[in-house]
Amino acid sequence: QVQLVESGGGFVQARDSLRLSCTASGCTFSNGVMGWFRQAPGKECEFVAAIKSGGSTSYADPVKGRFTISRYNAKNTIYLQMSTLKREDTAVYYCATDRGILWQSRTPSEYDYWGQGTQITVSS
């Protein structure tokens, strides 16, 4: 099995910065895509960012210029560096991966493995 564990969430003020990490264990797929999604209370699961093993990335419009996704393949880890945080960023953040997706998919149903999520709360 593939297991994903997120860390780095917490309670922050608007305009602050925060970095999330997600580490995969078990039978991992280093050539597959990895991504971040988020879900606010009562809202649908929303794409945030994705990265391929080769380093190419894709971002949702609301986070472009503020969030940066990166990947450290040797440790099966991805990061999400978040800056200029807004109240609208408050959500549970999930990392996900899939062995067969060779592009930066934005569709949650296409990812087979998910972490448990980490809460980010931004106050103003």
Side-chain angles (χ1 to χ4, degrees), residues 47 51 61 63 71 111:
F47 170 79
I51 185 169
D61 288 341
V63 307
R71 183 166 185 165
Y111 290 78

Side-chain angles (χ1 to χ4, degrees), residues 12-18 66 82-87 89 122-124:
V12 298
Q13 300 291 324
R15 299 176 296 280
D16 281 355
S17 297
L18 196 65
R66 298 190 298 118
M82 313 164 72
S83 63
T84 319
L85 285 163
K86 305 175 180 179
R87 290 185 61 185
D89 296 319
V122 183
S123 64
S124 62

